[in-house]
Amino acid sequence: MPQYKIALIPGDGIGEEVCVEAVKVLKAVEKKYGHSFELKHGLIGGAAWDVHKSHFPDETKSLCDWSDAVLFGSVGGPVAEQDTEKWINCERESILAIRKYLGLTVNLRPAQVFPELAHLSVLKAEKVPENGLEILMFRELSQGLYFGEHTTYEKDGQKHARDICDYSADTIRFIAEFAFRAAKQSGKKIASVDKANVLDTSRLWREVVDEVAKNYPEVSYEHWLVDNCAQQLVKNPDWFEYILTENLFGDILSDLTSTFPGSLGLLASASFNQEGFGLYEPSGGSAPKRANQNIINPIAQILCVAMMLRHSFGMEDEAIAIEKAVHQTIKDGYRTYDLYRELEGETKVGTDQMGDLIAERV
Ligand code: IPM
Ligand code: MG
């Protein structure tokens, strides 16, 4: 029986406790389907700083090298402590560093509105179709402004700062192929988002997307300017199925779509390098204020497990079993504090109970 090796890297804040629930669900899958998962624990972010005085220590790098997939929590500390040695540069040196270390270039960010939770969405009720809404973002993660040279310098007696935005055709082609392949399989349409009326990188983006599209005549796609896309996402969210975009636009638009489900606690994400290696992390942050009170919603982390099983281990049935278990738990009225509105049929539960309920349903 193949053994699947998983690097479990919970990070800071709520990371540890939601990962406990994710592991519960993974164990339920293991038992039901007769798989064997080997989990090893690693440190990152402030948690790693406490032990190694590094946000991304060598031990954690080796753990990633050993693993078949990374299940990641979240990183970052309390706002009031941002300037301390422990937290300063924590995000750059942990999450951005691990993305770079693993060469992660495709970031999938689903945002779904469960019909039972449509009342929590920021969207007006009439904007949400009866069977819910599901938008999947394909965000490029390895180039663009994030990874170009960053410089602050003096010129003409004043301070200047410069961030270089660079894209290679190969990188664009890789993520475009990824999205078009998925769209061919699912029949979804693609909105490719750029700022081609201004930026050269965006013109290249368009050119390469058009080239890739030629090999997928059955996939319908359109080019969108990012400003217009942001506007239409709010006005007509049901126009969108797949969104394909570069690093910074994807960062901003995915925060926008993350308001659709009504809670960040419902949103998982997956990132891949060109060899298909995957890292799975919830879209929300480390929420240090809410940590260790048994209130946080573990669903995002649990849905990360589903994405990991599907994309890294090819376990489609197992992934669907988790997604169905999550949906059933919501249908049955169980709500962590972020979802609870004292409505009829709702039962308020803590982090651990939510994990138990989902694991049972698997
Ligand atoms: C995200 C985050 C990161 C990003 C930050 C923490 C660097 O906002 O994953 O969306 O901008 O990529
Ligand atoms: Mg972001």
Side-chain angles (χ1 to χ4, degrees):
M1 177 170 49
Q3 177 111 2
Y4 298 91
K5 293 182 286 203
I6 300 166
L8 182 68
I9 309 181
D12 302 316
I14 61 168
E16 195 73 54
E17 57 193 300
V18 290
C19 279
V20 169
E21 304 314 312
V23 170
K24 252 185 215 170
V25 173
L26 190 67
K27 297 269 176 218
V29 169
E30 192 167 45
K31 203 165 142 200
K32 175 161 181 209
Y33 293 89
H35 297 306
S36 167
F37 300 111
E38 187 183 357
L39 286 155
K40 281 193 189 169
H41 200 277
L43 297 172
I44 201 159
W49 186 268
D50 288 340
V51 181
H52 300 282
K53 286 281 173 289
S54 156
H55 288 124
F56 183 31
D58 290 341
E59 286 80 352
T60 306
K61 289 180 186 147
S62 314
L63 180 71
C64 292
D65 297 342
W66 161 85
S67 72
D68 299 317
V70 176
L71 190 58
F72 192 94
S74 46
V75 288
V79 178
E81 294 170 34
Q82 286 310 307
D83 291 334
T84 61
E85 208 196 6
K86 176 173 172 182
W87 297 114
I88 201 162
N89 286 331
C90 175
E91 279 86 353
R92 266 198 197 182
E93 292 171 2
S94 55
I95 184 64
L96 291 188
I98 196 173
R99 283 177 192 166
K100 190 164 188 177
Y101 181 75
L102 296 171
L104 303 176
T105 181
V106 175
N107 180 215
L108 296 188
R109 297 193 163 182
Q112 77 282 47
V113 180
F114 292 107
E116 300 79 12
L117 299 178
H119 58 284
L120 300 180
S121 179
V122 297
L123 297 169
K124 285 191 188 145
E126 68 264 25
K127 301 283 181 200
V128 180
E130 230 164 72
N131 52 352
L133 181 75
E134 195 162 355
I135 294 175
L136 181 58
M137 175 96 56
F138 296 73
R139 170 189 175 193
E140 201 292 316
L141 208 57
S142 66
Q143 291 190 343
L145 274 173
Y146 277 66
F147 292 101
E149 195 191 333
H150 307 292
T151 357
T152 303
Y153 61 104
E154 290 278 335
K155 195 175 130 190
D156 305 329
Q158 61 172 324
K159 251 187 174 175
H160 284 240
R162 182 171 57 212
D163 302 285
I164 305 278
C165 187
D166 190 280
Y167 260 103
S168 69
D170 278 355
T171 297
I172 301 169
R173 191 170 302 111
F174 184 79
I175 189 167
E177 285 278 355
F178 199 102
F180 274 81
R181 254 195 325 271
K184 182 177 171 177
Q185 227 181 19
S186 63
K188 304 275 186 192
K189 63 179 177 198
I190 296 178
S192 175
V193 177
D194 61 41
K195 187 74 184 171
N197 51 350
V198 180
L199 303 175
D200 271 29
T201 43
S202 283
R203 288 183 191 159
L204 180 64
W205 184 276
R206 247 178 218 218
E207 193 183 309
V208 174
V209 169
D210 284 336
E211 263 169 44
V212 168
K214 286 198 188 113
N215 300 325
Y216 297 88
E218 60 281 80
V219 173
S220 82
Y221 80 106
E222 274 177 13
H223 295 293
W224 288 74
L225 294 173
V226 61
D227 46 353
N228 183 31
C229 175
Q231 186 196 39
Q232 294 305 330
L233 268 170
V234 177
K235 284 169 88 171
N236 295 297
D238 58 333
W239 287 1
F240 295 91
E241 291 177 341
Y242 286 0
I243 295 178
L244 166 62
T245 192
E246 64 90 68
N247 206 343
L248 182 64
F249 299 157
D251 179 46
I252 298 167
L253 292 178
S254 66
D255 260 34
L256 193 160
T257 55
S258 78
T259 63
F260 294 177
S263 168
L264 265 179
L266 295 168
L267 285 166
S269 89
S271 305
F272 306 101
N273 68 17
Q274 299 214 2
E275 285 75 49
F277 182 87
L279 174 148
Y280 302 85
E281 59 172 322
S283 291
S286 60
K289 268 195 201 154
R290 302 224 155 80
N292 303 317
Q293 298 161 45
N294 196 30
I295 56 171
I296 278 294
N297 187 349
I299 287 179
Q301 195 76 47
I302 290 168
L303 289 175
C304 284
V305 174
M307 290 186 96
M308 176 177 76
L309 297 180
R310 169 175 295 124
H311 295 287
S312 285
F313 305 149
M315 298 178 182
E316 183 64 25
D317 291 349
E318 292 83 337
I320 291 174
I322 294 178
E323 288 159 354
K324 278 197 173 151
V326 165
H327 198 176
Q328 191 58 48
T329 309
I330 291 171
K331 276 190 192 157
D332 293 342
Y334 296 104
R335 308 278 187 259
T336 39
Y337 86 101
D338 53 319
L339 309 178
Y340 183 66
R341 292 294 180 276
E342 295 181 34
L343 300 177
E344 209 185 306
E346 287 190 337
T347 311
K348 195 172 182 184
V349 296
T351 310
D352 55 356
Q353 216 184 336
M354 187 58 112
D356 288 338
L357 289 161
I358 295 169
E360 271 165 29
R361 283 162 179 73
V362 167

